[in-house]
Structure formats: structure tokens, C-alpha cells
Amino acid sequence: MASSSLLTFPSLQTQFSSPKKPLLSPSTKTRKHSVRFRPTIYASAKPQITGSKPKSEKPPVKKIPGNYGLPLIGPIMDRLDYFYNQGKNDFFKSRIQKYHSTVFRVNMPPGPFIAPNPNVIALLDGKSFPILFDLTKVEKKDLFTGTYMPSVELTGGYRVLSYLDPSEPRHAKLKKLLFFLLKSRRDHVIPEFETSYGELFETLENDLKTKGKASFPEANDQAGFNFLARALYGSNPADTKLGLDGPTLVSKWVLFQIGPQLTVGLPKFLEELLIHTFPLPPFLVKSDYQRLYDFFYESSGFVLDEAEKLGISREDACHNLLFATCFNSFGGIKILFPNMMKWIGRAGAKLHTELAQEIRSVIKSNGGKVTMAAMEQMPLMKSVVYEALRIEPPVAQQYGRAKRDLLVESHDAIFEVKEGELLFGFQPFATKDPKIFERPEEFVGDRFVGDGERLLKHVLWSNGPETENPTLGNKQCAGKDFVVLLSRLLVVELFRRYDSFDVEVGVSALGAAVTITSLKRASF
């Protein structure tokens, strides 16, 4: 995935007037697992709230361990370990064990010859990671995809919002435009989600009848793209020249940008040559991108009018709307929703029953309608969404370049960082920090119920803590609350229709390959 935020859309904290209460190693082989009985997954056993005990003395100042190896050779060796020899998790775990530190120097892919400098300082615990959000200490310019930046030819010649640092004048204007977009379309979000994902569940049921199984990601891609177009722009893709091609065009275009960070199932030597060593030429997707651009330009006139009032050209605005909708939001739905289905499906019938009871009871007491206010009365459902965001955040990587000499503190030591050095955080390690969360590797459905809400400050998927909000002056995902709302709606729509469901889980380049093997219709 990308490194700053794949889900850039306006905050519901301001646009939807939500309550102030604070409320994800690729393998070339696909493996299927039975998920009816997973003894290591606990759906409802409530954990104790833990955390590091206050210390009267600061930890010692230490030299950052690790090295970058020989030029060219070191980065390539690290890349092979990261993608093939070890895989992402073991790549980091082995170095934590080697250096006895969660902070160390290492090379991050892709390295030669795509990234000019792959050297980073890795931050792999929940205490050091948040420095990446502190814009008084780090800069975010051109770091959305990490140690390299894709060609601006892929975005119409413009550096789009995700690559801008808040210190750049265009940043606030473009983020404000995204806030305007969602605010103006807020009343369409819930009804259009119900329509688009009602179509998804019909597709899944039909596939189960005819094939005995159903691919959730395939149906989700079409439903997600349709929903975003209908809800945010009032345009149904099937009724335009774009037709049903949107998800395919977007996926191809996104590959040209983040391919250097992926494994796609090709033989190792082919992947190394084709996507890890040299950038894919943008002209190969120029016509695909133009089709997407034409769709958004024709559908977003009211937003483009507002852009001109803000001093943004219509072309600049349209390229940013396309990126925000297709890369950030659609990309997020493409990764997050299958991952949620995976974890909730694995959790089993007990959690499913509890969710169905809570969701249906609240909907009934609210006149049979799903509203934001009604969803605030579903603490277990809300906790399940946060737990999915914690255990497998849709944005795995964050980057920030030190603005000045500074100190980074982990649980065990303090490290000196020099001005200009690149800090890298691998978020799944930060949000599964055993010094913050009990049973961090387990999906605990009610982890954030009641007193557990105070752990929300350690849920970091949005390029900031869940307890904070995006502003024009920070890099927190502009759509933080929008994404949370969509995730809640998915769980609500699922359990108002079904008592339980079963899944088989494989892997894919982005997110999980989730196959639905049964859907048990609502019996109460």
C-alpha cells in the first residue's frame, strides 16, 4: 500500500456532525484455510486495558543500530528479503531480534533503480511511531508512496494532495475542496450505500446458488466504485461511457504507481525486472486514465465550480478528485472491506449472533431505519470496526523526513535522528504493540467497548490517532470519519440480512482473497 493515506476524504466530524465522543507477507501461492474453528481468535472475551507504566527516569540515549550495507548490494538484498526470502513481517521481526531494538536502520523497497535513496530509520512500536504525525518535527512532501514518487504523468502532470506537505499553499485549498465535496453530498451516503451494497449481497447470494461459493473482492470492487460515484457525484457509471469498466481501469492505473511495493504472483525474476527495478511507463495507461478523467470531469461540475472559487483550476481539481476517489477511497474500500470480512468471518458464530442482536434491536427501536445516530447506539459494532482497523490497518506504511535534529523515543531507549533523515513506520507493528494491547495478535471484537475506548488513541490507521481529527493544517486522512462510517455501514448491512456467514481466506496483492462459502439468512 501507499505510505500516507489511501483514504483521503472529508471528515465526518465536521461534515456529518457526528458526536464528539471518540469513537490492514504477500505470497505467490494462495492458501485456503478453514475458518469455522479458529482457537486463537477470541471474539468477545474482553481484555484488560494495559499500557506502559510511568517511569520516573527517561530511558537511555542509544545509537541507532543497523546499517544500510554496500551501495546497490545492500538495498537489493533487503528488497529480496522483504518480498521473497522472509516476507514483510519476518523481515522486521528478524531485525528486531537481531538488534534488540524496535528502532533501527534498514533499506526499504523498491531501492535501485526506482528510489534514489532507500535508507530509512524504522520505527516499529506504538511509542515511537506517532512522531510521524508531528509536523513540527517531520515533513511529508512527496512521501505518500515512501522512498520514491511515481511520475506525475500518472496524475495529469499535477502533484496531487497526497504528495503535498501542509506547508505548501495548495494543500489547504485542495483539502478544503474535499471537505466541501462530502459536506455537499452527505445526505446521499447512507441511502446510496444501502443500494450499492444491497446489489453486492444479491450478487453474492446468486453466486452461492450457482457456483457454491462467491468471491467477495470481485463483487466489492464493483459495488464500491458504484457507491462512490453515486454518493459523491450523483452519477451512475453504468449509464455513462465508462460503463462497468471503472474498477478494472482504476486497478491497472494504481498498479503503475504502487507496483514497486507489491508482489503480484509472477516468478521472482520477472517481478524484480518488471515492477521492482524500473518504473512502468505511464503511457501504457494514458488512455485508461483519460477515460476516468472524462467521467469525473463530466460528473463533478458543482465541485469544479467551487474549486475555481478557491483559486484552483478545474483541471487541477479534477485530477485531485479522481485521485481522491479512485486511489484513496476506492483503494481503501478494495483493501479494508475484504480484510474486515476475513476477521469477522473468522471470529465465529458467537460474535455474529451478538452483532445481529445488537444491530437489529437498535434499528427496530429507531423506526426500522439506519442512521448515524442509531449506529452510535451499537457499541459492539463500533468496536468491531475499530478492531479491524487496529489489527490490519489498510495503510501499512508511514513516512516523514526529519525537519531538524531530533530525538525519537521507543519503550526502551531514546535515539538521535539527524536533520534530513527519513523515518519509516510499519503500522501493523505499532498497532499490535504488546506493551499497549493485551493479546495483540488476536481479533477481540469488544476490545473498544466501555473503558476500552481509551485505547482508541493507539488506533493509527488514518495517519493520526483515532481520537484526533483531520484539519487543513495536518496530514491526517481527510476522510477518517467517512471511512469509519462506511465500515460501520458494511457491518450493519451484513448483519441486518444474515445471522452468520463462513469464509475461506487466501492472499492477494492488495488485501485478502475472501471467498464466501455460506450466508445464513436472518432468522429473527
Side-chain angles (χ1 to χ4, degrees), residues 76 79 110-115 259-260 269-280:
I76 291 175
R79 184 171 76 201
F113 294 95
I114 295 176
F269 74 95
L270 278 179
E271 282 195 339
E272 281 295 287
L273 179 62
L274 294 178
I275 63 175
H276 294 159
T277 303
F278 302 101
L280 293 168

Side-chain angles (χ1 to χ4, degrees), residues 236-270:
N236 184 27
D239 298 332
T240 71
K241 294 178 181 179
L242 191 63
L244 301 179
D245 295 340
T248 301
L249 298 177
V250 173
S251 296
K252 184 178 176 182
W253 170 67
V254 168
L255 175 64
F256 274 60
Q257 298 174 74
I258 62 172
Q261 294 183 341
L262 303 177
T263 55
V264 296
L266 297 174
K268 178 168 66 174
F269 74 95
L270 278 179

Side-chain angles (χ1 to χ4, degrees), residues 383-391 442-445 447-448:
S383 177
V384 163
V385 168
Y386 290 133
E387 179 69 345
L389 289 165
R390 178 200 72 85
I391 199 166
E442 300 172 15
F443 184 86
V444 181
R447 188 184 294 275
F448 299 102

Side-chain angles (χ1 to χ4, degrees), residues 360-371 373-375 377-378:
R360 294 174 202 172
S361 173
V362 171
I363 292 176
K364 182 178 180 179
S365 65
N366 282 268
K369 294 183 178 181
V370 177
T371 64
M375 287 188 287
Q377 301 167 35
M378 304 175 186

Side-chain angles (χ1 to χ4, degrees), residues 459-492:
V459 177
L460 312 170
W461 69 272
S462 63
N463 202 3
E466 190 61 36
T467 50
E468 296 182 8
N469 299 309
T471 67
L472 297 180
N474 67 21
K475 285 300 288 184
Q476 188 164 21
C477 172
K480 176 175 81 78
D481 294 329
F482 179 60
V483 172
V484 171
L485 172 62
L486 301 189
S487 301
R488 291 177 177 181
L489 286 171
L490 177 66
V491 179
V492 168

Side-chain angles (χ1 to χ4, degrees), residues 186-201:
R186 59 187 175 189
D187 293 337
H188 300 272
V189 172
I190 293 178
E192 292 295 356
F193 191 94
E194 291 176 342
T195 298
S196 298
Y197 277 81
E199 295 167 358
L200 173 140
F201 290 120

